[in-house]
Amino acid sequence: MTPDHDRSRSPAGRTVLSDLLRGHRHAAGLTQAELASRAGVGVRTVRDLERGRSARPQRTTVELLADALRLTGAARTTFLAAARPSPAAGTTGPAPRHLPVTGPGAAPSGTPIVLPQPVPLIGRDRDVAEIGALLSTDHPVVSLVGLAGVGKTALALAVAHAVAADHPAGVAGVLVGEGSDTADVLAASAGVFGVNRLADLAARLGGQPALLLLDAAERAPDPVAEALRRLVAAAPTLRVLVTGRHPVGLPGELVRPVAPLDVPPAGTVPAAPAELDRWPAAALFIARLAQVRREPPTPAELPALAALVRRLGGLPLAIELMAARGRILDVTELLDRYGDRVLDLATPPGGRPGWDPVDRAVTLREAVATSYRLLAPAERAALRRLSAFRNRWSVELAEELLADGGERRDAVPLLDRLRELGLLSVRGTGPFRFRLLDAVRDFASEQAAGEGELTCVRRRHAEVVTGLAVRTAPDLVGPDLTAAVHLLDEATGDIIAALAHAAVDDAVTALRLAAALPRWWRFRGRDVSGRRWLHRLLADPRTADADPVLRAWALLGVAQLAAEHGAGAEELPAARAALDVFRDAGEVTGELSARSVLCALLHATGGHDEARDHAEAVLELATRHGRVRDMAVAQNNLTWHDIRVGDLAGARRRLATVDRLAAQCGERRLRVLARANLAEVMRLASRYTEAVAQGRRVAATLAELGDPGHRRRVLGTVGLALAQEGRAAEALEVVAELRSGTAGSPVPGQRRPPLGAEGAAAGRPEDAVCALIEGNLALYQGDRELAAEWFAAAAEAGVDGQDRRDVVEALVGLAASTADVRVLSRLDEVRRAGGVSLLPQEEALLYALVARRTAGTRRGAPG
């Protein structure tokens, strides 16, 4: 028993750590400096503990002291229990395992050099390998920097253990204490290698590599910097792996920011937990959740799980804190309750291993604030502006957002500084690779609101996003289509946020943004919401005096989007009004676009002659101005007038012209649509096998291009060709695919257009095309009663003006199935109204019908 053991109890009966530490140190005959050196901690840490100034020290520190005092058995248990008293048991459990340094350069047995065993890491294998490789280079100091809770210490421990064999002179660690001075750091760093003086360290290492892990350098930045400068000068074979909130600032220091874990991308809808394993943030959440509840996440919880770890930004500390709440709440409840309160997540009172040992809880807001305070005032102001970005962004967009008075400055030094402090994540190789962590963005937004800047920041953000959309819109046609769509896809979150803010604060900017997006909205299946945005902004009194050409583009966008969901007829006045404005303003591009949209709309609503007039006007205007793409668009639209009059050979020739012109201007998508139309021409010519092969190739390409509306329509062509050829199983697979893509009940009045380059006309509703497919299958199989039901349903879909070619096809099938003369009368009316000529196979079906009726009459059958 040590001399001080008789006074090592508090009045309440608890063991007092300060008394125990002093007693054990005296019994070992050590000074405070000698104990600190042997344990690898600062002298001030020992001094503060003995004076009772640290009521709840970090567990790692206490274990290092216990090792240095060579405490075992009950003495060690009592010592550790005094540091973390538990109301239930009075102990903290067994101490973690340690890794003694071995090899020719190992310290004498009387001075053990140890490191805590690393915790298992998820998603850090590549980081461990890369940092280990960096330690073998000529850089004496490698600093792991990043936001609190990103996992710097855990990663450093894993690296140190991984490279131990490459450092035969020893691997050791020092935890920097608050307020340590240079002498403390030097004494601890030398002591963990078994020497008392810095001058003896080189001889101790014997010219062999050694590794020192210096943890929490931000607690004493200047002393650490000076100590490291002297360490690497005194021991050239020593390598130092440092962790901290910011770089040390030494010449030759290699800074490696520690990024958060990868998160599932937006829109991820996993069906099983295993599907989330490829995203380390999700895998970590699932692993930590398994520690607090028995049941794995249910399929219903998985979408919320993906959204939650995305909201947590992949920050390991935040993930662990959130998963701990899974003892009581399921994942969906966690997202609902805490998804908007990430900054309020707190560590447990008293801290946790690897976290600052404090008696109170520490929130993520305070952790981010610590790094925020390291920034200069101008850097803080820039971070507040950048918080307006909702997802990833490019250097160019950042420079636009940060520009003052129109003057753009190089943003690279700022971004590099933010990255060094772990406030900025850089992922991928494309332009849009920069992103603020969600916690950082939320904190910076709070600061902007506190400074009264939030409205101005959001207004500037909307202007920048609008500029991006306006610059990109022209490329949504032509050879750069795919790249342009992808660019806007990257900015989806910012587009949504900019529209929402500008609609309230600056309606004209919102209208400029929305008017640039109809093509992109259509490609991404957002035609309904896009149309609503345009209607709302056009009706806003604040946009009434906006540039007439701008309003005309918005009106034309309304018509394009309405046609996608079967409401094109409602917006014919909008398209005509847009055309009038473009003609008056001499806006050639606008006039060509408006006429092309009108051509497709009118074709779908029965105005075939006017549609042809617009297509011919486009061809004449485009030829006069040398606009090759628009010439191809016009030829493509005129194809359907050839089909209407039954000139399939003329349609094929015209489509060959479209293909040639589209190739000339590099328009891949227009070539694909021409081939889709060729598949329909093949089907109408009864070349079913060729139509199926061509249509399937086109459907695959359209899926790649991301054009769901046109892909559905070409699938209709494939399904009809399969049905007419009697390939029932394949045809029904197409029906299932078409129906699975329909949300809710079918929309009456949706129409099938020509596959025009502008894609303005609406497609056949899935119920109508599926009815045609089912009717043809039943007719091929000889079930005329069932066929009649399906053809009648398809014909009814044309009541409001569906493409007359489709109605004719449905009525011919109905007549062939029922032998009802009233159907023939209706067919004749539709043909005359639309100027539609019957195709040879249709005439053959009707001839067979007449023949059957004539034969039946001669036998006395009822007429």
Side-chain angles (χ1 to χ4, degrees), residues 721-734:
L722 288 168
Q724 289 167 319
E725 199 173 16
R727 295 159 66 175
E730 295 171 84
L732 291 175
E733 287 178 3
V734 172

Side-chain angles (χ1 to χ4, degrees), residues 285 289 293 296-298 300-309 322 326 329-337:
F285 186 93
L289 190 65
R293 80 178 208 187
T298 65
E301 291 178 288
L302 295 181
L305 194 157
L308 186 60
V309 296
M322 187 67 77
L329 304 174
D330 67 26
V331 181
T332 303
E333 291 171 330
L334 288 174
L335 179 62
D336 292 341
R337 181 175 290 264

Side-chain angles (χ1 to χ4, degrees), residues 607-630:
H608 300 288
D609 292 337
E610 187 182 351
R612 185 185 61 238
D613 292 343
H614 281 295
E616 290 173 346
V618 169
L619 184 57
E620 187 277 328
L621 186 60
T623 303
R624 180 163 22 111
H625 288 274
R627 307 284 288 265
V628 176
R629 180 188 178 276
D630 292 294

Side-chain angles (χ1 to χ4, degrees), residues 445-771:
S445 292
E446 287 183 354
Q447 297 300 305
E451 296 288 338
E453 303 168 345
L454 195 56
T455 297
C456 292
V457 166
R458 289 175 171 174
R459 182 180 301 155
R460 179 62 186 154
H461 171 260
E463 292 169 352
V464 169
V465 174
T466 298
L468 173 69
V470 170
R471 292 192 302 271
T472 306
D475 292 331
L476 291 173
V477 296
D480 297 325
L481 166 66
T482 301
V485 170
H486 178 69
L487 189 152
L488 293 179
D489 287 346
E490 293 275 17
T492 296
D494 286 292
I495 290 171
I496 293 171
L499 266 177
H501 295 316
V504 174
D505 181 62
D506 184 359
V508 174
T509 295
L511 183 64
R512 288 180 59 228
L513 175 56
L517 298 175
R519 291 180 188 274
W520 177 66
W521 274 329
R522 182 163 52 80
F523 294 150
R524 289 298 176 250
R526 299 181 181 127
D527 45 283
V528 174
S529 59
R531 182 187 177 202
R532 287 173 181 163
W533 267 115
L534 287 167
H535 266 303
R536 170 184 170 182
L537 294 168
L538 284 166
D540 193 315
R542 294 171 295 173
T543 68
D545 296 328
D547 180 4
V549 171
L550 169 61
R551 288 183 61 85
W553 279 112
L555 287 168
L556 190 61
V558 167
Q560 288 177 300
L561 295 172
E564 283 296 304
H565 49 272
E570 299 173 22
E571 304 296 352
L572 270 171
R576 289 190 169 112
L579 175 60
D580 291 340
V581 172
F582 290 138
R583 282 191 303 193
D584 292 343
E587 178 68 38
V588 174
T589 299
E591 181 178 352
L592 289 168
S593 297
R595 288 189 181 278
S596 295
V597 169
L598 281 167
C599 174
L601 287 176
L602 289 162
H603 180 88
T605 55
H608 300 288
D609 292 337
E610 187 182 351
R612 185 185 61 238
D613 292 343
H614 281 295
E616 290 173 346
V618 169
L619 184 57
E620 187 277 328
L621 186 60
T623 303
R624 180 163 22 111
H625 288 274
R627 307 284 288 265
V628 176
R629 180 188 178 276
D630 292 294
M631 293 164 58
V633 169
Q635 293 282 14
N636 195 60
N637 286 333
L638 287 169
T639 297
W640 289 91
H641 298 282
D642 294 334
I643 292 174
R644 181 166 61 96
V645 298
D647 186 4
L648 300 183
R652 284 195 297 271
R653 289 193 298 271
R654 202 181 290 276
L655 288 172
T657 301
V658 174
D659 188 71
R660 175 177 56 79
L661 291 172
Q664 183 178 332
C665 62
E667 248 281 19
R668 181 190 178 199
R669 177 173 168 273
L670 184 51
R671 295 189 75 185
V672 172
L673 297 185
R675 290 167 185 173
N677 290 336
L678 181 59
E680 179 69 356
V681 171
M682 290 175 175
R683 183 187 73 83
L684 294 174
S686 302
R687 294 162 57 182
Y688 303 128
T689 302
E690 295 173 70
V692 169
Q694 175 88 333
R696 281 177 167 163
R697 287 193 296 269
V698 169
T701 305
L702 288 172
E704 174 192 337
L705 291 174
D707 194 340
H710 281 138
R711 184 174 182 274
R712 286 194 301 271
R713 290 190 279 276
V714 79
L715 281 177
T717 291
V718 171
L720 283 168
L722 288 168
Q724 289 167 319
E725 199 173 16
R727 295 159 66 175
E730 295 171 84
L732 291 175
E733 287 178 3
V734 172
V735 169
E737 183 173 357
L738 287 170
R739 285 176 174 156
S740 68
T742 305
S745 59
V747 180
Q750 283 185 316
R751 304 163 187 92
R752 179 178 189 235
L755 291 179
E758 301 306 310
R764 278 181 296 191
E766 281 71 13
D767 63 329
V769 71
C770 290

Side-chain angles (χ1 to χ4, degrees), residues 39 87 90 111 124 143 153 173 200 262 305 352 363 427 509 542 561 680 770 773 802-803 851:
T111 311
R124 295 294 194 192
S143 290
T153 298
D200 298 331
D262 286 341
L305 194 157
R352 67 181 188 115
T363 65
R427 296 287 176 88
T509 295
R542 294 171 295 173
L561 295 172
E680 179 69 356
C770 290
I773 294 171
Q802 181 180 332
D803 178 9

Side-chain angles (χ1 to χ4, degrees), residues 271-359:
E275 295 181 24
L276 291 172
D277 286 346
R278 59 179 296 203
W279 309 107
L284 176 62
F285 186 93
I286 292 171
R288 295 296 179 264
L289 190 65
Q291 296 175 355
V292 299
R293 80 178 208 187
R294 295 180 179 179
E295 303 80 9
T298 65
E301 291 178 288
L302 295 181
L305 194 157
L308 186 60
V309 296
R310 195 162 52 246
R311 186 72 183 89
L312 296 172
L315 198 65
L317 173 63
I319 291 171
E320 293 183 0
L321 294 176
M322 187 67 77
R325 288 161 167 77
R327 293 185 181 93
I328 299 173
L329 304 174
D330 67 26
V331 181
T332 303
E333 291 171 330
L334 288 174
L335 179 62
D336 292 341
R337 181 175 290 264
Y338 297 110
D340 294 326
R341 297 166 53 195
V342 171
L343 287 174
D344 294 324
L345 288 175
T347 60
R352 67 181 188 115
W355 189 253
D356 291 339
V358 293
D359 290 329

